[in-house]
Amino acid sequence: MFGGGLARGLVKKAVAASVVAGAALVAVMALGATIFFALLLVLVPLAAAATTFLLFAIVAIVVALVLVNRSETEEDFEDEPSGLGARAYSLFRQRPILGTVAALAGGWIFLRNPALATMVAAAFTEKPHRSRRR
């Protein structure tokens, strides 16, 4: 198998990101339920649900606008990344949806034909050959 350390590190990071995302999802749902039940003490159930939805919609819009504004102000012109891991990281960082689709396609190709996936990885990591002059 190619890149044993790289693959293990990526798997560990993916598992850690999954755990963090799951914990964040549970925390947000618990916060929503808490807000809903707190509003239920003051409002009728339909109004409490609508108010909770409106609050979370406003928070989502504010977070999205802050992230878009931050990404427009950041201008980083980096050199071409070298190595398969750096290229994958830069692809995920610049275009997360395309990076996810590429990772899923790569996983599918690897499951269907491991030899082809190994050849593609070798082509990406291969250094250019230089002719020797005497």
Side-chain angles (χ1 to χ4, degrees), residues 24-37 56:
L25 176 67
V26 170
V28 168
M29 291 181 73
L31 177 65
T34 304
I35 292 171
F36 172 73
F37 287 118
F56 275 84

Side-chain angles (χ1 to χ4, degrees), residues 6-89:
L6 175 68
R8 238 179 264 136
L10 287 176
V11 168
K12 286 182 181 179
K13 288 180 183 179
V15 168
S18 300
V19 169
V20 168
L25 176 67
V26 170
V28 168
M29 291 181 73
L31 177 65
T34 304
I35 292 171
F36 172 73
F37 287 118
L39 288 173
L40 204 59
L41 297 173
V42 182
L43 302 172
V44 294
L46 187 59
T51 307
T52 305
F53 170 76
L54 184 64
L55 176 70
F56 275 84
I58 290 171
V59 168
I61 289 171
V62 167
V63 169
L65 289 176
V66 166
L67 289 178
V68 167
N69 190 21
R70 183 183 305 162
S71 68
E72 287 178 356
T73 59
E74 290 179 359
E75 294 181 15
D76 47 350
F77 299 101
E78 297 177 2
D79 294 336
E80 179 80 18
S82 61
L84 187 61
R87 287 181 185 175
Y89 176 73

